[in-house]
Amino acid sequence: MTSLVDLARRTLPPGLTGLAGLACAACCVVPLLLVAGVVGGAGWAAVGRALPGLTVVLAAASVAAWWWVRRPHRRGCAGGSGCACGGDRTTGVRSGG
């Protein structure tokens, strides 16, 4: 059975990256829609101010999620004994198996 953490590690980074890409594309498309008359001034006022900030937040969350997936971790370790990631730096032997 797949744990919730494993599911999040698999789906969160690509999902956040896709959302950040959509928000970035929307930043470029909204002015074109305004010129074409599809979006009115109220739509621009509502979306135009929040979208760049949302894009930056999603991009930062995406980077953090990719880092979370790529960092070393032990499978099945719940923080009990024998789950330490450290080791003896002089011998190069890792503790916790």
Side-chain angles (χ1 to χ4, degrees):
M1 177 176 231
T2 304
S3 72
L4 186 60
V5 173
D6 289 336
L7 181 64
R9 283 187 187 275
R10 230 180 27 249
T11 59
L12 190 63
L16 283 174
T17 303
L19 287 175
L22 282 174
C24 187
C27 280
C28 297
V29 170
V30 169
L32 297 174
L33 294 175
L34 182 65
V35 170
V38 176
V39 178
W44 172 255
V47 176
R49 292 178 188 245
L51 208 48
L54 178 66
T55 302
V56 170
V57 168
L58 284 171
S62 176
V63 169
W66 281 107
W67 171 82
W68 179 55
V69 168
R70 299 288 181 219
R71 71 185 175 96
H73 64 282
R74 286 194 53 195
R75 198 178 251 335
C77 183
S81 63
C83 288
C85 294
D88 186 358
R89 293 182 189 258
T90 59
T91 62
V93 176
R94 296 184 85 175
S95 63

